[in-house]
Short mmCIF file of all heavy atoms in Angstrom, two decimals:
data_model
loop_
_atom_site.label_atom_id
_atom_site.label_comp_id
_atom_site.label_asym_id
_atom_site.label_seq_id
_atom_site.Cartn_x
_atom_site.Cartn_y
_atom_site.Cartn_z
N ALA A 1287 64.41 190.46 145.07
CA ALA A 1287 64.67 189.78 146.34
C ALA A 1287 64.74 190.86 147.42
O ALA A 1287 65.74 191.57 147.54
CB ALA A 1287 65.97 189.00 146.28
N GLY A 1288 63.68 190.99 148.20
CA GLY A 1288 63.63 192.06 149.18
C GLY A 1288 63.65 193.40 148.48
O GLY A 1288 62.85 193.68 147.60
N ASN A 1289 64.63 194.23 148.84
CA ASN A 1289 64.77 195.54 148.20
C ASN A 1289 65.71 195.52 147.01
O ASN A 1289 66.01 196.56 146.45
CB ASN A 1289 65.28 196.57 149.23
CG ASN A 1289 64.25 196.82 150.34
OD1 ASN A 1289 63.06 196.85 150.08
ND2 ASN A 1289 64.76 197.00 151.56
N HIS A 1290 66.19 194.33 146.66
CA HIS A 1290 67.16 194.20 145.57
C HIS A 1290 66.46 193.79 144.29
O HIS A 1290 65.69 192.83 144.25
CB HIS A 1290 68.20 193.15 145.91
CG HIS A 1290 69.02 193.46 147.14
ND1 HIS A 1290 70.22 194.13 147.06
CD2 HIS A 1290 68.81 193.20 148.45
CE1 HIS A 1290 70.71 194.26 148.30
NE2 HIS A 1290 69.87 193.69 149.15
N VAL A 1291 66.71 194.52 143.22
CA VAL A 1291 66.24 194.14 141.89
C VAL A 1291 67.41 193.47 141.17
O VAL A 1291 68.42 194.11 140.87
CB VAL A 1291 65.75 195.36 141.09
CG1 VAL A 1291 65.30 194.89 139.70
CG2 VAL A 1291 64.60 196.04 141.82
N LEU A 1292 67.28 192.18 140.91
CA LEU A 1292 68.40 191.41 140.38
C LEU A 1292 68.28 191.38 138.85
O LEU A 1292 68.06 190.35 138.23
CB LEU A 1292 68.35 189.98 140.95
CG LEU A 1292 68.27 189.92 142.48
CD1 LEU A 1292 68.21 188.48 142.95
CD2 LEU A 1292 69.46 190.64 143.13
N ASP A 1293 68.50 192.55 138.24
CA ASP A 1293 68.31 192.66 136.80
C ASP A 1293 69.56 192.34 136.00
O ASP A 1293 69.50 192.18 134.77
CB ASP A 1293 67.79 194.06 136.45
CG ASP A 1293 68.66 195.17 137.01
OD1 ASP A 1293 69.55 194.88 137.85
OD2 ASP A 1293 68.47 196.33 136.60
N THR A 1294 70.71 192.26 136.65
CA THR A 1294 71.96 191.90 135.97
C THR A 1294 72.74 190.91 136.85
O THR A 1294 72.46 190.77 138.03
CB THR A 1294 72.86 193.13 135.74
OG1 THR A 1294 73.28 193.65 137.03
CG2 THR A 1294 72.11 194.21 134.98
N THR A 1295 73.71 190.24 136.23
CA THR A 1295 74.53 189.33 137.04
C THR A 1295 75.41 190.13 138.01
O THR A 1295 75.78 189.60 139.07
CB THR A 1295 75.40 188.41 136.15
OG1 THR A 1295 76.11 189.21 135.19
CG2 THR A 1295 74.56 187.39 135.46
N ASP A 1296 75.75 191.36 137.69
CA ASP A 1296 76.49 192.19 138.65
C ASP A 1296 75.65 192.39 139.91
O ASP A 1296 76.13 192.25 141.04
CB ASP A 1296 76.84 193.54 138.03
CG ASP A 1296 77.85 193.44 136.91
OD1 ASP A 1296 77.48 192.96 135.82
OD2 ASP A 1296 79.01 193.82 137.12
N ALA A 1297 74.36 192.70 139.71
CA ALA A 1297 73.46 192.89 140.87
C ALA A 1297 73.26 191.58 141.61
O ALA A 1297 73.22 191.56 142.86
CB ALA A 1297 72.11 193.43 140.37
N LEU A 1298 73.16 190.48 140.89
CA LEU A 1298 72.98 189.17 141.51
C LEU A 1298 74.19 188.81 142.36
O LEU A 1298 74.05 188.35 143.51
CB LEU A 1298 72.74 188.11 140.45
CG LEU A 1298 72.58 186.67 140.95
CD1 LEU A 1298 71.27 186.53 141.73
CD2 LEU A 1298 72.59 185.68 139.79
N CYS A 1299 75.38 189.03 141.85
CA CYS A 1299 76.60 188.70 142.59
C CYS A 1299 76.76 189.59 143.83
O CYS A 1299 77.17 189.11 144.90
CB CYS A 1299 77.83 188.82 141.70
SG CYS A 1299 77.96 187.53 140.45
N ASP A 1300 76.41 190.87 143.68
CA ASP A 1300 76.46 191.75 144.85
C ASP A 1300 75.49 191.27 145.93
O ASP A 1300 75.82 191.27 147.12
CB ASP A 1300 76.11 193.19 144.44
CG ASP A 1300 77.26 193.90 143.77
OD1 ASP A 1300 78.42 193.52 144.00
OD2 ASP A 1300 77.00 194.84 142.99
N TRP A 1301 74.30 190.86 145.52
CA TRP A 1301 73.30 190.38 146.46
C TRP A 1301 73.75 189.09 147.13
O TRP A 1301 73.59 188.92 148.35
CB TRP A 1301 71.98 190.18 145.71
CG TRP A 1301 70.87 189.55 146.50
CD1 TRP A 1301 70.18 190.09 147.54
CD2 TRP A 1301 70.37 188.21 146.33
NE1 TRP A 1301 69.24 189.18 148.01
CE2 TRP A 1301 69.34 188.03 147.28
CE3 TRP A 1301 70.68 187.18 145.44
CZ2 TRP A 1301 68.61 186.85 147.37
CZ3 TRP A 1301 69.96 185.99 145.53
CH2 TRP A 1301 68.96 185.83 146.49
N LEU A 1302 74.31 188.16 146.36
CA LEU A 1302 74.80 186.92 146.94
C LEU A 1302 75.86 187.19 147.99
O LEU A 1302 75.94 186.52 149.04
CB LEU A 1302 75.36 185.99 145.86
CG LEU A 1302 74.36 185.24 145.00
CD1 LEU A 1302 75.07 184.51 143.85
CD2 LEU A 1302 73.55 184.23 145.85
N LEU A 1303 76.70 188.19 147.72
CA LEU A 1303 77.77 188.52 148.68
C LEU A 1303 77.20 189.24 149.91
O LEU A 1303 77.48 188.85 151.05
CB LEU A 1303 78.83 189.37 148.00
CG LEU A 1303 79.99 189.85 148.88
CD1 LEU A 1303 80.70 188.69 149.56
CD2 LEU A 1303 80.98 190.69 148.06
N ASP A 1304 76.42 190.26 149.69
CA ASP A 1304 75.91 191.08 150.79
C ASP A 1304 74.96 190.32 151.70
O ASP A 1304 75.04 190.42 152.93
CB ASP A 1304 75.18 192.32 150.24
CG ASP A 1304 76.12 193.29 149.57
OD1 ASP A 1304 77.30 193.32 149.95
OD2 ASP A 1304 75.67 194.02 148.67
N GLU A 1305 74.05 189.53 151.11
CA GLU A 1305 73.01 188.89 151.89
C GLU A 1305 73.31 187.45 152.26
O GLU A 1305 72.79 186.94 153.26
CB GLU A 1305 71.69 188.95 151.11
CG GLU A 1305 71.24 190.36 150.75
CD GLU A 1305 70.92 191.20 151.98
OE1 GLU A 1305 70.49 190.62 153.00
OE2 GLU A 1305 71.11 192.44 151.92
N HIS A 1306 74.14 186.78 151.48
CA HIS A 1306 74.38 185.36 151.71
C HIS A 1306 75.86 185.00 151.88
O HIS A 1306 76.19 183.84 152.06
CB HIS A 1306 73.75 184.54 150.57
CG HIS A 1306 72.29 184.78 150.43
ND1 HIS A 1306 71.34 184.12 151.20
CD2 HIS A 1306 71.60 185.62 149.62
CE1 HIS A 1306 70.13 184.54 150.86
NE2 HIS A 1306 70.26 185.46 149.91
N HIS A 1307 76.72 185.99 151.76
CA HIS A 1307 78.14 185.87 152.05
C HIS A 1307 78.84 184.84 151.19
O HIS A 1307 79.70 184.08 151.66
CB HIS A 1307 78.37 185.60 153.53
CG HIS A 1307 78.00 186.78 154.40
ND1 HIS A 1307 77.86 186.69 155.77
CD2 HIS A 1307 77.69 188.07 154.10
CE1 HIS A 1307 77.51 187.86 156.25
NE2 HIS A 1307 77.40 188.72 155.25
N VAL A 1308 78.47 184.79 149.91
CA VAL A 1308 79.17 183.98 148.90
C VAL A 1308 79.67 184.93 147.82
O VAL A 1308 78.85 185.63 147.18
CB VAL A 1308 78.25 182.90 148.29
CG1 VAL A 1308 79.04 182.11 147.23
CG2 VAL A 1308 77.73 181.96 149.34
N ALA A 1309 80.97 184.98 147.62
CA ALA A 1309 81.57 185.89 146.64
C ALA A 1309 81.80 185.15 145.33
O ALA A 1309 82.54 184.16 145.28
CB ALA A 1309 82.87 186.47 147.16
N THR A 1310 81.16 185.64 144.25
CA THR A 1310 81.33 185.09 142.92
C THR A 1310 81.67 186.27 142.00
O THR A 1310 81.78 187.41 142.43
CB THR A 1310 80.05 184.40 142.47
OG1 THR A 1310 78.97 185.34 142.50
CG2 THR A 1310 79.70 183.21 143.36
N VAL A 1311 81.83 185.97 140.71
CA VAL A 1311 82.18 187.03 139.74
C VAL A 1311 81.14 187.06 138.63
O VAL A 1311 80.84 186.02 138.04
CB VAL A 1311 83.57 186.80 139.14
CG1 VAL A 1311 83.95 187.93 138.20
CG2 VAL A 1311 84.63 186.66 140.25
N PRO A 1312 80.60 188.24 138.33
CA PRO A 1312 79.62 188.32 137.22
C PRO A 1312 80.25 188.02 135.88
O PRO A 1312 81.41 188.36 135.61
CB PRO A 1312 79.11 189.77 137.31
CG PRO A 1312 80.19 190.52 138.02
CD PRO A 1312 80.80 189.54 138.98
N GLY A 1313 79.47 187.42 135.01
CA GLY A 1313 79.95 187.01 133.70
C GLY A 1313 80.30 188.19 132.78
O GLY A 1313 80.95 187.99 131.75
N THR A 1314 79.88 189.41 133.13
CA THR A 1314 80.25 190.56 132.34
C THR A 1314 81.76 190.67 132.20
O THR A 1314 82.28 191.17 131.19
CB THR A 1314 79.69 191.85 132.97
OG1 THR A 1314 79.95 191.86 134.36
CG2 THR A 1314 78.18 191.94 132.74
N ALA A 1315 82.50 190.23 133.21
CA ALA A 1315 83.96 190.29 133.18
C ALA A 1315 84.53 189.38 132.10
O ALA A 1315 85.69 189.57 131.68
CB ALA A 1315 84.54 189.91 134.54
N PHE A 1316 83.75 188.41 131.66
CA PHE A 1316 84.24 187.39 130.73
C PHE A 1316 83.50 187.43 129.38
O PHE A 1316 83.56 186.47 128.61
CB PHE A 1316 84.10 186.00 131.35
CG PHE A 1316 84.69 185.90 132.74
CD1 PHE A 1316 83.89 186.03 133.85
CD2 PHE A 1316 86.06 185.72 132.90
CE1 PHE A 1316 84.43 185.95 135.12
CE2 PHE A 1316 86.61 185.64 134.17
CZ PHE A 1316 85.79 185.77 135.29
N GLY A 1317 82.78 188.53 129.15
CA GLY A 1317 82.07 188.65 127.88
C GLY A 1317 80.80 187.83 127.81
O GLY A 1317 80.30 187.57 126.72
N ALA A 1318 80.28 187.39 128.95
CA ALA A 1318 79.07 186.56 128.98
C ALA A 1318 78.17 187.04 130.13
O ALA A 1318 78.17 186.44 131.22
CB ALA A 1318 79.45 185.10 129.15
N PRO A 1319 77.40 188.09 129.93
CA PRO A 1319 76.68 188.73 131.03
C PRO A 1319 75.54 187.92 131.63
O PRO A 1319 75.00 188.31 132.67
CB PRO A 1319 76.14 190.03 130.40
CG PRO A 1319 76.12 189.75 128.93
CD PRO A 1319 77.26 188.85 128.66
N GLY A 1320 75.19 186.76 131.06
CA GLY A 1320 74.13 185.95 131.63
C GLY A 1320 74.61 184.87 132.59
O GLY A 1320 73.81 184.12 133.14
N SER A 1321 75.94 184.81 132.82
CA SER A 1321 76.51 183.76 133.66
C SER A 1321 77.28 184.37 134.81
O SER A 1321 77.54 185.58 134.84
CB SER A 1321 77.44 182.86 132.83
OG SER A 1321 76.74 182.18 131.80
N ILE A 1322 77.67 183.53 135.77
CA ILE A 1322 78.55 183.94 136.84
C ILE A 1322 79.65 182.89 136.97
O ILE A 1322 79.47 181.74 136.59
CB ILE A 1322 77.82 184.09 138.19
CG1 ILE A 1322 77.22 182.75 138.66
CG2 ILE A 1322 76.74 185.15 138.12
CD1 ILE A 1322 76.59 182.81 140.06
N ARG A 1323 80.83 183.33 137.46
CA ARG A 1323 81.93 182.38 137.63
C ARG A 1323 82.17 182.09 139.09
O ARG A 1323 82.20 183.01 139.92
CB ARG A 1323 83.23 182.90 137.00
CG ARG A 1323 84.31 181.82 136.91
CD ARG A 1323 85.67 182.37 136.51
NE ARG A 1323 86.34 183.02 137.63
CZ ARG A 1323 87.61 183.40 137.61
NH1 ARG A 1323 88.36 183.22 136.54
NH2 ARG A 1323 88.16 183.97 138.68
N LEU A 1324 82.38 180.81 139.38
CA LEU A 1324 82.76 180.38 140.70
C LEU A 1324 84.07 179.60 140.59
O LEU A 1324 84.19 178.69 139.78
CB LEU A 1324 81.72 179.44 141.33
CG LEU A 1324 80.33 179.96 141.61
CD1 LEU A 1324 79.46 179.96 140.35
CD2 LEU A 1324 79.65 179.09 142.67
N SER A 1325 85.06 179.99 141.38
CA SER A 1325 86.30 179.22 141.45
C SER A 1325 86.20 178.20 142.57
O SER A 1325 85.92 178.59 143.72
CB SER A 1325 87.49 180.16 141.69
OG SER A 1325 88.64 179.41 142.03
#
């Protein structure tokens, strides 16, 4: 996405926050690196 390579959920969550101003949590924190958590 632009100059961002979204190869992990950590990268995806950073991109969502930086470019679209939505803060989520990568699933790596919960032992599931293919998902993201939204409260």
Side-chain angles (χ1 to χ4, degrees):
N1289 295 322
H1290 298 268
V1291 179
L1292 309 178
D1293 53 349
T1294 65
T1295 50
D1296 292 73
L1298 178 67
C1299 288
D1300 282 336
W1301 174 71
L1302 283 173
L1303 177 56
D1304 292 333
E1305 302 296 329
H1306 302 277
H1307 293 167
V1308 179
T1310 58
V1311 182
T1314 47
F1316 309 98
S1321 297
I1322 63 175
R1323 191 189 78 169
L1324 297 81
S1325 168

